[in-house]
Amino acid sequence: MRNALVIVDVQNDFCEGGNLPVTGGLAVAAQVARHVRQSRSEYDLVVATRDYHENPGDHFAPQPDFVESWPRHCVVGTPGAALCTPISNLVDEDLIQSVVDKGRSTAAYSGFEALDPEGCPLLDVLRDARIESVDVCGLATDYCVRATVLDARKNGFEVRVLTDLCAAVNEESGRRALQEMKAAGCQLTTDSAR
Ligand code: VGL
């Protein structure tokens, strides 16, 4: 079975020091990069998604509720929108073959809303590579990882969630999201247990 790794939104703004930091984000960036280097022979394709906002309406709010509205983050052209250095190094070394962007003018939690530089949606990128199963990791467990994983299941992919290569905005909603992914037929596993 052809297998892809989808790395969700491992960007500076979602890490410690960024505009919408997720606790453990920097550690996830380093561990995901190590995983890609160690497991490169297992993947036929490695894709990274980016949250990439210009004017996403009420996704940004001056007084965000951190559920449906957020501080400004991942604004196109700012350092916060860039992939974390350990991840951008993988792009430079061609260990990540595709970067897909979402959310220019709307909220977009799922990587399946993202397009590659040629305007090709993630689903087509995966289908063109004849991918049947995906491993998913990144930020944040309870938002963009959750949405990406559930859409991957809806589109018929087998899904493994690498839970130790994810971090949540909120611990409790992170736990709930993992249960939801499991109920949707995903395998929850750790990088070390695979
Ligand atoms: C995300 C909150 C707002 C994410 C994106 O990448 O999980 N979370 N926008």
Side-chain angles (χ1 to χ4, degrees), residues 105-154:
S105 52
T106 59
Y109 294 102
S110 170
F112 285 83
E113 296 181 63
L115 307 175
D116 80 0
E118 281 79 49
C120 187
L122 175 61
L123 181 59
D124 294 348
V125 171
L126 296 173
R127 285 189 175 154
D128 286 350
R130 304 191 317 284
I131 298 300
E132 297 165 286
S133 76
V134 292
D135 287 0
V136 184
C137 61
L139 306 171
T141 316
D142 33 357
Y143 291 93
C144 290
V145 171
R146 171 186 173 277
T148 302
V149 159
L150 295 178
D151 274 353
R153 289 294 298 144
K154 282 181 198 146

Side-chain angles (χ1 to χ4, degrees), residues 8-9 11 14 20 51 53 59 70 73 102 108-109 139-145 169:
V8 176
D9 297 5
Q11 294 166 268
F14 294 129
L20 176 41
D51 217 28
H53 295 307
H59 186 58
W70 306 93
H73 60 276
K102 60 187 168 64
Y109 294 102
L139 306 171
T141 316
D142 33 357
Y143 291 93
C144 290
V145 171
V169 167

Side-chain angles (χ1 to χ4, degrees), residues 14-28:
F14 294 129
C15 291
E16 292 87 346
N19 286 331
L20 176 41
V22 175
T23 303
L26 281 174
V28 164

Side-chain angles (χ1 to χ4, degrees), residues 22-23 141-143 167-178:
V22 175
T23 303
T141 316
D142 33 357
Y143 291 93
V169 167
N170 173 285
E171 227 178 284
E172 177 52 35
S173 60
R175 267 194 297 273
R176 274 201 311 271
L178 290 176

